[in-house]
Amino acid sequence: MKKIIKLFLLLNLFITPLFSQNSAVKLEKTTTFFPEQEEINQDNIDWYFLTVPENWEQLSGKKIKIAVAILKNTSKNKNSNPVIYLEGGPGGSAIEGIWSFLKHPLREKSDIVLVDVRGTGNSLPKFCPDLGKKILEILAKNQNAVEDEKQKTLAAMACKQDLISRDIDLNAYNSKSIAKDLNALKLALKYKNWNVYGASYGTYVAQVYANDFPNDIESLILDSSIADIGNYYNGNSENYVSSLNKVFTACENDPNCNKQYPNLEKVYYETIEKLTKNPITVGVDKKIIPSGNFTYNAEDFKVAIQQGLYNKKLIQVIPLLINQFNKGDKNTLSSLVAAFSGALSLDYGQYYCVSCNEAIPNNSLEKFNSTAQKFEKLKGGLSFYKSDFLVCDKWNFGTTNKKGLNDLSNLATLKSPVLVFSGAFDPITPAKNGIVIADRFENSYLINAPISGHVPSFSKMGSQVVNEFIQNPSKKPDAKEFETNNKVRFINEVEINGGVSNFGNSLNEFNLLFFAPLFIAVVVMLVAIFSFSFGFFKMQEARDKLLKVFIVFTSIVGLFIIIQLVLALNNTAQDNFYILAFGLPNQYGYLFTLQWLFIGLVFVSIFYFLMKIKSISDASIMATILFSLVLVGVYFQYWGFLF
């Protein structure tokens, strides 16, 4: 009898915590996170909130909600071999990047699970979602790096105080807690195991998760890996310069690039000197910067180029970008601010929770500075990252719960296959990290992308490699085309015109009220062309013939420009979207000349009309047509094509 009682007590000790954990977790369906996006809402996507303990050591304590989106596989296979994607940052939202997965080849056979980890995106509570915008406003000011750091710290501390006032346990927002959330989500979805796909910081979370819950892992995909979070900041300057030097070398070895941008390395460092002495202030959309101005100094320039190294298509325009900074082209630099704002779209509250507790305490400001000093011409490394030391010093003030490095020792015995991606130009998680990560696992495949930067798997070829691996993880996927494509196709011949990006933004936002006058003007021009041309064709006695000829010809030129501009934007965007920030390829340069011809014809037509107004029949109709032509010219000028 005593043995039975002891057995009962032992079982009770085991079952009670398990039952408590299950009762602390709840998965509930919710409505779409994109109520206004018809394309997404017509897709086969399930939306959830996973309720979990904020602190996993206090299961009965405060609860938080993790946002989840499951993109169902298109083959309607119930045994879908699911893939869960973990976004980078820290602070990035996986769900906000849903567009990258709607037509991903993985969806043919696998459900794709997107999760906004605690403190990010659509998860609750929200963590200072506007802090990134405030940091952008700080960078926009005409002030030195020290003042930037002070104001950035004040903004971060205001965020922290807001979180504390909402009774948020900042120590609970870390990689270990995220790993427990992922395990709870897998159990709630009743998956036996799944494929874990991490990018950037997401690779670190994936490693912590695989270390703590190895039985959850079917396979790992690690793209642009954090190999050692204890050296993440220390090597920042060296990683950046190494990637930058690859651009200089590639351009020098490319005859066309070297001809267009000779001595690129020298120009880069000259630009740092120029902007240190004379920052450039440009006008920007007040929706992005309330002041309407952004001042580029040397630090902004360095960060802009560093961000350019993230993306394969941006790498192609880096020589052009350096050249435009060096020339101080305000129209071009103005259009780049929108890209800056995209780079600061993280939830910085969560960014600092993770960075200040897991990365910064294991890095050193002294090492950061000593590494930066090796590159004297860089003038102190990248202050944007250096400022995190100051922020975290204040963020962690009074905190006794300083975390050491997470234990990853179990990864060496992980049996699951691992696919590792690294990009040769990656300035933040360098290609050498891929080698370290691949060696960390027993069963790994390393894919090197020689002309890519950060997260090379997010490309057409990369997604195909990922899909092939998921379908057959026991075999290294065929990445020959991916790995042998080793020549950067630099963009050399571009007609610089700031109106292109403004025109593209208008088309992208497409405000019907804004475009309505232009549409009406186009209709009037079309009617004029057909009605006047019909009269010429019928050989009718044409009154005011010369004016009508001017109007027809001018209208044809105007319509041709509009149509060709739209086609040029579309073709250029398909080739390399980032060219549009500067202008159009030289092959479309004639469109800018035609605009001046159009303006000249409009003025001639108006002048002739005013000279002959007393003898012109239907003067009001002619005036209406001429007004339509003027209106088209006003749109050209509004977008900035002319001046």
Side-chain angles (χ1 to χ4, degrees):
M1 185 66 180
K2 288 182 179 180
K3 289 183 178 180
I4 294 175
I5 293 173
K6 286 182 179 180
L7 180 61
F8 174 78
L9 291 173
L10 286 171
L11 286 172
N12 189 54
L13 287 171
F14 174 76
I15 292 172
T16 299
L18 184 63
F19 177 78
S20 298
Q21 178 168 328
N22 289 338
S23 64
V25 174
K26 182 167 61 174
L27 184 68
E28 297 175 294
K29 275 200 169 186
T30 187
T31 55
T32 175
F33 298 125
F34 300 90
E36 298 180 1
Q37 295 292 343
E38 187 175 343
E39 179 183 353
I40 290 177
N41 295 322
Q42 289 179 346
D43 207 325
N44 187 13
I45 302 173
D46 290 338
W47 312 92
Y48 295 94
F49 273 121
L50 177 74
T51 301
V52 297
E54 182 178 52
N55 188 332
W56 276 99
E57 295 178 2
Q58 300 173 12
L59 298 181
S60 60
K62 182 181 175 182
K63 302 297 188 293
I64 61 174
K65 291 188 174 184
I66 309 299
V68 180
I70 302 181
L71 288 70
K72 295 294 187 177
N73 67 87
T74 55
S75 61
K76 298 181 180 180
N77 179 14
K78 292 184 178 180
N79 299 316
S80 71
N81 191 24
V83 177
I84 180 170
Y85 174 70
L86 305 174
E87 183 57 273
S93 165
I95 293 176
E96 292 302 314
I98 195 171
W99 303 98
S100 299
F101 293 96
L102 291 178
K103 297 180 180 179
H104 198 289
L106 281 172
R107 283 196 76 186
E108 183 179 350
K109 295 183 179 179
S110 296
D111 290 350
I112 300 177
V113 182
L114 305 179
V115 55
D116 283 350
V117 301
R118 52 174 60 205
T120 69
N122 299 280
S123 293
L124 302 173
K126 289 186 176 293
F127 267 43
C128 311
D130 295 328
L131 183 53
K133 186 176 181 180
K134 292 177 182 177
I135 293 174
L136 182 66
E137 291 171 14
I138 292 168
L139 295 176
K141 296 178 181 179
N142 186 8
Q143 58 192 21
N144 58 37
V146 173
E147 192 60 34
D148 275 353
E149 289 175 5
K150 288 180 180 178
Q151 293 188 16
K152 186 178 175 183
T153 302
L154 289 173
M157 292 309 296
C159 165
K160 179 183 178 182
Q161 291 306 314
D162 172 63
L163 298 176
I164 292 173
S165 70
R166 289 190 277 143
D167 195 31
I168 292 173
D169 181 2
L170 302 184
N171 289 320
Y173 292 80
N174 54 64
S175 304
K176 295 283 280 188
S177 294
I178 294 171
K180 292 177 181 178
D181 296 340
L182 298 177
N183 172 254
L185 177 60
K186 183 198 74 84
L187 294 173
L189 291 171
K190 296 181 170 57
Y191 291 143
K192 180 181 178 182
N193 44 35
W194 51 11
N195 305 279
V196 180
Y197 182 177
S200 195
Y201 167 67
T203 66
Y204 184 70
V205 173
Q207 291 175 76
V208 174
Y209 178 37
N211 182 86
D212 294 355
F213 299 95
N215 293 330
D216 286 6
I217 311 300
E218 178 71 21
S219 72
L220 284 178
I221 302 169
L222 305 176
D223 186 357
S224 303
S225 304
I226 294 178
D228 179 9
I229 203 167
N231 197 44
Y232 180 78
Y233 284 90
N234 295 341
N236 181 274
S237 298
E238 183 177 357
N239 295 337
Y240 173 47
V241 173
S242 175
S243 297
L244 194 57
N245 285 340
K246 291 176 184 177
V247 173
F248 298 149
T249 301
C251 183
E252 187 177 0
N253 292 335
D254 182 319
N256 292 327
C257 184
N258 194 39
K259 180 181 178 180
Q260 187 80 16
Y261 309 107
N263 303 312
L264 185 63
E265 181 176 3
K266 180 181 178 182
V267 172
Y268 170 79
Y269 289 110
E270 281 180 354
T271 306
I272 291 177
E273 293 286 350
K274 278 186 177 182
L275 291 173
T276 299
K277 297 175 182 177
N278 299 299
I280 301 171
T281 299
V282 299
V284 296
D285 190 336
K286 289 188 176 181
K287 293 178 183 177
I288 301 175
I289 304 292
S291 68
N293 291 312
F294 190 101
T295 299
Y296 285 101
N297 55 32
E299 295 302 324
D300 299 323
F301 168 63
K302 288 186 285 185
V303 171
I305 301 302
Q306 192 245 15
Q307 291 296 309
L309 288 163
Y310 273 55
N311 185 286
K312 175 182 174 181
K313 295 292 186 180
L314 271 170
I315 291 168
Q316 295 175 356
V317 300
I318 281 181
L320 175 60
L321 180 57
I322 292 172
N323 185 261
Q324 291 305 298
F325 265 107
N326 187 264
K327 289 182 177 179
D329 189 318
K330 291 189 175 184
N331 287 330
T332 300
L333 299 183
S334 176
S335 65
L336 292 174
V337 176
F340 253 123
S341 63
L344 293 167
S345 60
L346 302 175
D347 282 288
Y348 272 86
Q350 203 259 6
Y351 173 90
Y352 288 125
C353 279
V354 173
S355 298
C356 295
N357 282 302
E358 298 182 55
I360 288 292
N362 300 298
N363 285 258
S364 161
L365 180 57
E366 289 73 24
K367 287 184 179 179
F368 181 96
N369 287 332
S370 64
T371 303
Q373 287 169 6
K374 295 178 184 177
F375 310 100
E376 184 179 348
K377 291 187 291 185
L378 196 61
K379 294 189 177 296
L382 297 173
S383 68
F384 181 81
Y385 294 93
K386 181 181 177 180
S387 64
D388 283 358
F389 285 96
L390 179 60
V391 172
C392 288
D393 185 54
K394 300 293 184 183
W395 187 278
N396 290 336
F397 181 76
T399 301
T400 57
N401 187 20
K402 297 289 181 67
K403 292 180 173 59
L405 293 172
N406 287 308
D407 177 22
L408 300 177
S409 60
N410 292 337
L411 296 180
T413 59
L414 186 72
K415 300 299 181 184
S416 305
V418 181
L419 180 65
V420 180
F421 284 91
S422 63
F425 289 88
D426 192 337
I428 197 72
T429 54
K432 61 186 179 183
N433 284 14
I435 299 172
V436 175
I437 289 293
D439 288 343
R440 185 170 289 169
F441 296 95
E442 183 179 316
N443 185 14
S444 65
Y445 310 114
L446 175 60
I447 306 294
N448 290 301
I451 60 171
S452 295
H454 205 51
V455 292
S457 70
F458 281 81
S459 62
K460 184 177 181 180
M461 283 190 291
S463 61
Q464 291 170 350
V465 171
V466 168
N467 187 49
E468 185 179 336
F469 171 73
I470 292 297
Q471 303 312 320
N472 187 7
S474 63
K475 178 183 177 183
K476 181 177 180 178
D478 181 9
K480 185 177 180 180
E481 183 181 0
F482 201 43
E483 294 185 299
T484 56
N485 184 10
N486 57 10
K487 183 176 174 58
V488 179
R489 188 173 63 85
F490 288 112
I491 305 299
N492 301 315
E493 304 293 333
V494 176
E495 186 79 19
I496 304 299
N497 191 296
V500 174
S501 62
N502 296 329
F503 180 51
N505 289 335
S506 293
L507 290 177
N508 188 49
E509 295 171 359
F510 197 78
N511 185 321
L512 184 59
L513 190 62
F514 170 79
F515 276 103
L518 180 62
F519 290 153
I520 294 171
V522 167
V523 170
V524 171
M525 290 160 64
L526 285 169
V527 171
I529 290 170
F530 285 109
S531 61
F532 292 166
S533 298
F534 183 76
F536 299 152
F537 180 75
K538 288 291 187 178
M539 302 297 290
Q540 296 174 352
E541 183 179 349
R543 302 178 65 182
D544 316 317
K545 186 173 182 179
L546 185 57
L547 179 59
K548 290 179 179 179
V549 169
F550 271 127
I551 287 174
V552 169
F553 186 64
T554 305
S555 297
I556 290 173
V557 172
L559 291 173
F560 178 82
I561 292 170
I562 293 171
I563 293 169
Q564 288 301 310
L565 276 174
V566 173
L567 293 175
L569 256 71
N570 181 62
N571 293 338
T572 304
Q574 290 184 17
D575 180 39
N576 188 326
F577 174 83
Y578 297 103
I579 296 174
L580 301 178
F582 304 92
L584 289 172
N586 279 358
Q587 68 194 80
Y588 300 111
Y590 68 92
L591 291 173
F592 306 126
T593 303
L594 281 180
Q595 287 185 29
W596 283 107
L597 174 63
F598 172 79
I599 295 299
L601 289 170
V602 170
F603 274 112
V604 170
S605 300
I606 292 173
F607 180 75
Y608 184 84
F609 172 77
L610 293 174
M611 291 286 292
K612 300 289 185 178
I613 190 169
K614 291 183 179 180
S615 62
I616 292 175
S617 60
D618 300 323
S620 60
I621 294 176
M622 294 296 187
T624 300
I625 298 171
L626 289 172
F627 178 77
S628 297
L629 295 174
V630 170
L631 191 59
V632 172
V634 169
Y635 272 90
F636 288 158
Q637 174 55 27
Y638 171 80
W639 283 314
F641 284 117
L642 303 175
F643 296 103

